[in-house]
Amino acid sequence: MRPSLLNPLFASAAGLPGIGPKTGKLFDRLFERTSAAAPDTRLIDLLFHMPHAVIDRRQRVKIADAVPDRMVLFEARVAEHRPPPPRSKAPYKVLVEDETGDVLLVFFLANHQWIEKSLPLGATRWISGKLELWDGYRQIVHPDRVLDADGLAKLPPVEPVYPLTEGLHLRMLGKAIDAALTKVPALPEWHSDFVTKSPDFPSFKDALTQIHRPPTPEAIGLEQPAWLRLALDELLANQLALVMMRTHMRQTAGRANTASGALAAQIEKALPFTLTRSQVEAFAEIKSDLGEAKRMLRLLQGDVGSGKTLVALLAMASVVEAGHQAALMAPTEILARQHYETIAPFAEAAGLRLAILTGRDKSTARQKVLAALAEGEIDILIGTHALFQEAVAFRDLALAVVDEQHRFGVHQRLALGRKGEAVDVLVMTATPIPRTLVLTYFGDMDVSVLRDKPAGRQPIETRALPLDRIGDVVARLAAAIAKGTRAYWVCPLVEESELIDVAAAQERFATLQRIFGGKVGLLHGKMKGKDKDETMEAFASGAIQILVATTVIEVGVDVPEATIIVIEHAERFGLAQLHQLRGRVGRGKGKSSCLLLYKTPLGETAKSRIEIMRETEDGFRIAEEDLRLRGEGEVLGTRQSGTPGFRLARLEVHGALLTLARQEAQMIMKDNPRLEGPRGEALRILLHLFERDEAIKLLRAG
């Protein structure tokens, strides 16, 4: 149960004064609260919606001294009204003046009555807005404020500016946040005395107030005391939940899965290469975990092509040898099938019984797999999130391997772990993750890292060209295709968007097909599963030599014969994504190249990304740079996928606070593991406040 003290903050924002159903819908769209499970915007959503800029109205100027292209605030007399002719779409104009000069106020599609009432002829008004020069005259289009002296007295000298959605105005949102601030109760302090003794460490309530009612423009800075306080609160809630989950996992008795290693040895014998030093070390760490009577919770982190799937197979073989079953879950059907095809020959060599289960399997085939699974006739099951479904019952699941963990989230990880008795969990990611993010997302796990590339991996030559040189690229491609080369051509979108000037995959496919005929195939996320499989098979066999694709090929697609990848509009991709895409080539014996096509002029961030891509293939360095350039939510794709991205903490700035939060969380679990007494109560409030209360349920579960 949520503490009653917090109930006002989790109440619907629709209850605030002045918010009707129409405005409520705009808030729901802004905060993406449109699902049946979370239908309404709550006060906490408003309070945790942080400003990204301010309007500074502390300077009052004379018209002649006002600087163009800036927000200005000045006092002026209304000199003249210039309404448009009847039935005209021309704007309504009002001339205002002081003793130093005049400004034209311009209103498009405006309410004439409102203008006449707000700006009566001869009256003195305070005007705020962005001053521009048009044909040599000063003008303000749609002033953001027109006030008399009383209105000016109520105007905040520094007004925060927030991200908005279409139809929602800054004043509406500001008014709602102001009303929400009045409902914030005084909450007990959850941080230790060591943290709070700093003289400029505000309370939770004061910190929110300082950011939403900033006394100066600097007060909303990410490194100011108010924001640092709130970021630390969120990070502590996150770390405490992870430490509690880990403690719970460790306290829940595990099973010792000991094996002689005979099956793993048979798999190694069937390999056409030897394992890298990293693979040997990672497998030894996993095997040691499996042999303990505690549950394993381990992250296997490795760059593109470092051989994680093989390490996972060796781990699954150990569990099967000990008499149990294993499962491998992937985020997409393409990746699940890729894993199945990669693993199958080696599993067969060791006599392992392998099956695959995805959302699109026909009913009869599905029932057959489910029956065999329940009877224990399947040793290893590979699948998508279909593995979570209730109908999927294992005879004796002992190891769950989760690929690309950040696309699933903690709840799903736990759900798969509940499919058997004391299931060990191994999580894999091909996205090299900066250390701060490992702590944030996987802080409850032990970590194994694969840093070596398998023997024979070729370096990839990376070049960048402006889009207007696309003719040269096609000519080079034609020469390569004539020699039997296979190539990927990646586009960012499936269909043309009026808003984003990007060559769509379908359009690029049509262009290249006119040149290369039947040698070109198309792959995107909206295709039927069967069509995707057929296209991939045709590319893998060489029946098609150019695969035009969206980012569905980003993870896991493995065609060693492909040696060229062209990434169109490279400036629109994040660094980690560019690195993942580049990793689709360089997988065979041939020399590989990656061409980054960009639209000019390049912004500073895009320029930095492309330079880093040309400098290095080290995924871990690329991940650190990506975090610096973009922030944590973008690096892990959490803005889109809804896994635990932060609302207040910005890890690229607040990374040092994460270590502090982690130390505090570990100390809490050591000194007060059941969160008892006044501080324990305050910490429970913190977990509920940041919606990490899943962890509190673990306390009740013992």
Side-chain angles (χ1 to χ4, degrees):
M1 283 283 288
R2 184 191 297 125
S4 57
L5 189 64
L6 294 179
N7 286 347
L9 300 184
F10 286 86
S12 169
L16 293 172
I19 296 180
K22 193 176 167 190
T23 313
K25 280 197 177 74
L26 293 173
F27 284 149
D28 295 343
R29 193 193 307 153
L30 176 65
F31 297 111
E32 294 175 5
R33 298 195 67 81
T34 48
S35 69
D40 286 337
T41 298
R42 306 152 309 169
L43 268 64
I44 197 77
D45 298 317
L46 292 167
L47 293 166
F48 286 172
H49 191 56
M50 297 283 105
H52 60 80
V54 294
I55 299 169
D56 185 358
R57 295 199 182 85
R58 292 173 304 168
Q59 295 293 320
R60 315 278 163 90
V61 295
K62 292 292 179 190
I63 288 173
D65 301 326
V67 180
D69 296 319
R70 285 205 195 157
M71 291 297 294
V72 296
L73 176 64
F74 58 87
E75 188 181 30
R77 190 179 66 81
V78 181
E80 188 185 338
H81 277 241
R82 299 176 186 170
R87 288 183 294 283
S88 162
K89 289 187 178 176
Y92 194 122
K93 297 178 182 180
V94 178
L95 187 72
V96 296
E97 62 185 16
D98 68 7
E99 65 275 19
T100 69
D102 55 31
V103 175
L104 207 53
L105 309 181
V106 182
F107 300 89
F108 289 94
L109 303 173
N111 179 331
H112 293 195
Q113 284 177 314
W114 177 86
I115 294 172
E116 286 155 12
K117 189 179 168 191
S118 302
L119 290 155
L121 268 176
T124 299
R125 290 290 181 263
W126 284 91
I127 314 289
S128 166
K130 188 179 178 185
L131 186 75
E132 297 169 318
L133 287 180
W134 180 258
D135 268 355
Y137 293 97
R138 300 183 194 93
Q139 70 168 29
I140 294 177
V141 177
H142 291 280
D144 74 319
R145 292 288 195 279
V146 173
L147 302 163
D148 58 16
D150 290 344
L152 179 73
K154 294 175 194 160
L155 184 70
V158 178
E159 184 181 9
V161 177
Y162 301 91
L164 297 167
T165 188
E166 192 182 350
L168 187 63
H169 301 297
L170 189 58
R171 286 172 79 175
M172 278 185 208
L173 181 61
K175 206 171 162 188
I177 290 173
D178 241 22
L181 273 175
T182 65
K183 308 281 185 185
V184 180
L187 298 174
E189 185 52 73
W190 39 74
H191 289 293
S192 65
D193 295 343
F194 167 73
V195 175
T196 56
K197 68 182 176 195
S198 165
D200 56 0
F201 191 79
S203 70
F204 173 77
K205 185 175 181 175
D206 286 348
L208 277 177
T209 306
Q210 283 172 37
I211 283 182
H212 292 302
R213 293 175 181 163
T216 65
E218 294 73 36
I220 69 156
L222 289 167
E223 296 183 63
Q224 292 297 311
W227 205 312
L228 290 174
R229 154 80 210 216
L230 296 173
L232 185 58
D233 290 339
E234 186 170 33
L235 291 169
L236 178 60
N238 167 267
Q239 289 299 302
L240 185 55
L242 285 173
V243 173
M244 287 167 76
M245 187 175 290
R246 182 184 179 83
T247 305
H248 177 75
M249 290 283 286
R250 289 299 198 195
Q251 284 169 349
T252 313
R255 288 189 291 180
N257 293 307
T258 47
S260 68
L263 287 181
Q266 284 176 28
I267 290 168
E268 282 194 59
K269 200 172 159 190
L271 296 174
F273 48 80
T274 54
L275 296 176
T276 65
R277 189 170 52 84
S278 288
Q279 284 175 313
V280 172
E281 285 170 6
F283 178 46
E285 288 166 351
I286 292 163
K287 208 173 165 195
S288 166
D289 284 358
L290 292 172
E292 287 184 28
K294 288 187 291 191
R295 290 178 73 181
M296 174 174 81
L297 192 53
R298 184 170 284 277
L299 170 68
L300 178 60
Q301 192 185 355
D303 205 346
V304 178
S306 56
K308 294 173 297 300
T309 310
L310 189 54
V311 174
L313 176 60
L314 295 171
M316 292 190 285
S318 297
V319 163
V320 173
E321 192 184 332
H324 312 297
Q325 290 168 300
L328 192 164
M329 185 178 67
T332 65
E333 290 194 8
I334 283 185
L335 189 48
R337 292 187 183 281
Q338 193 85 52
H339 279 316
Y340 181 78
E341 282 153 24
T342 304
I343 286 172
F346 306 122
E348 199 178 312
L352 295 167
R353 297 166 297 178
L354 196 62
I356 184 163
L357 188 72
T358 68
R360 68 162 197 262
D361 293 329
K362 288 201 167 67
S363 181
T364 46
R366 181 183 172 75
Q367 290 312 317
K368 208 171 161 188
V369 169
L370 292 177
L373 191 68
E375 288 298 316
E377 291 161 10
I378 291 170
D379 297 319
I380 297 172
L381 181 65
I382 294 174
T384 55
H385 55 275
L387 300 191
F388 291 131
Q389 291 164 359
E390 270 181 52
V392 180
F394 293 80
R395 185 182 65 79
D396 184 10
L397 179 67
L399 173 64
V401 181
V402 183
D403 196 15
E404 291 302 320
Q405 144 73 17
H406 61 269
R407 300 186 180 211
F408 290 110
V410 170
H411 305 308
Q412 289 157 306
R413 191 167 84 206
L414 286 174
L416 191 57
R418 286 195 287 265
K419 287 278 181 188
E421 181 201 333
V423 177
D424 287 317
V425 177
L426 176 68
V427 159
M428 303 194 296
T429 179
T431 308
I433 304 168
R435 187 180 163 276
T436 49
L437 295 193
V438 169
L439 279 179
T440 310
Y441 284 74
F442 312 105
D444 54 336
M445 298 187 186
D446 297 307
V447 181
S448 296
V449 179
L450 301 181
R451 283 198 175 268
D452 307 328
K453 285 270 177 80
R457 272 293 170 110
Q458 302 288 328
I460 302 163
E461 186 194 357
T462 303
R463 297 188 59 199
L465 287 171
L467 265 170
D468 56 20
R469 300 245 332 251
I470 201 163
D472 298 350
V473 175
V474 172
R476 279 183 60 187
L477 195 57
I481 294 302
K483 293 176 188 166
T485 300
R486 267 171 260 174
Y488 297 101
W489 189 302
V490 183
C491 303
L493 285 178
V494 175
E495 52 207 15
E496 197 63 63
S497 158
E498 288 173 10
L499 299 174
I500 307 169
D501 177 26
V502 173
Q506 284 165 332
E507 195 178 301
R508 180 59 59 215
F509 167 66
T511 309
L512 292 174
Q513 204 179 34
R514 283 196 290 274
I515 302 164
F516 298 104
K519 291 178 180 176
V520 188
L522 175 66
L523 186 73
H524 60 71
K526 292 187 179 177
M527 286 164 67
K528 288 184 177 143
K530 183 168 155 290
D531 296 339
K532 280 186 202 170
D533 289 347
E534 282 173 7
T535 303
M536 276 311 301
E537 278 160 27
F539 186 58
S541 70
I544 58 177
Q545 287 176 264
I546 301 171
L547 183 63
V548 177
T550 58
T551 54
V552 290
I553 66 151
E554 177 192 342
V555 175
V557 172
D558 187 8
V559 179
E561 295 79 7
T563 55
I564 294 174
I565 185 162
V566 179
I567 303 172
E568 193 168 341
H569 281 281
E571 78 281 358
R572 296 197 179 275
F573 292 95
L575 251 179
Q577 202 174 27
L578 286 172
H579 178 62
Q580 286 280 352
L581 288 166
R582 177 169 61 183
R584 295 310 103 215
V585 296
R587 303 171 88 86
K589 295 188 177 71
K591 193 172 182 327
S592 290
S593 59
C594 170
L595 275 172
L596 305 173
L597 289 178
Y598 59 86
K599 185 179 180 181
T600 53
L602 274 180
E604 283 308 308
T605 302
K607 200 182 286 180
S608 298
R609 278 190 207 131
I610 285 171
E611 279 168 12
I612 292 157
M613 283 292 291
R614 294 195 61 195
E615 278 171 31
T616 183
E617 283 184 59
D618 178 349
F620 290 91
R621 186 188 154 203
I622 282 170
E624 293 289 351
E625 292 289 345
D626 205 22
L627 176 63
R628 186 177 63 77
L629 291 171
R630 292 206 301 167
E632 57 88 23
E634 303 297 337
V635 169
L636 287 183
T638 58
R639 296 279 184 263
Q640 290 75 38
S641 65
T643 49
F646 291 119
R647 302 175 77 171
L648 311 178
R650 305 284 186 269
L651 288 184
E652 62 277 20
V653 177
H654 301 133
L657 292 180
L658 184 63
T659 309
L660 183 63
R662 184 157 187 75
Q663 288 166 349
E664 198 170 348
Q666 286 168 333
M667 195 66 75
I668 290 160
M669 286 316 285
K670 184 167 160 262
D671 298 342
N672 188 3
R674 301 212 49 86
L675 301 188
E676 291 163 334
R679 183 160 186 227
E681 195 52 48
L683 288 162
R684 286 169 186 248
I685 286 172
L686 171 74
L687 289 168
H688 278 285
L689 186 63
F690 285 95
E691 297 177 86
R692 297 291 198 273
D693 39 303
E694 279 288 316
I696 296 171
K697 292 174 192 166
L698 297 179
L699 286 180
R700 289 200 290 275

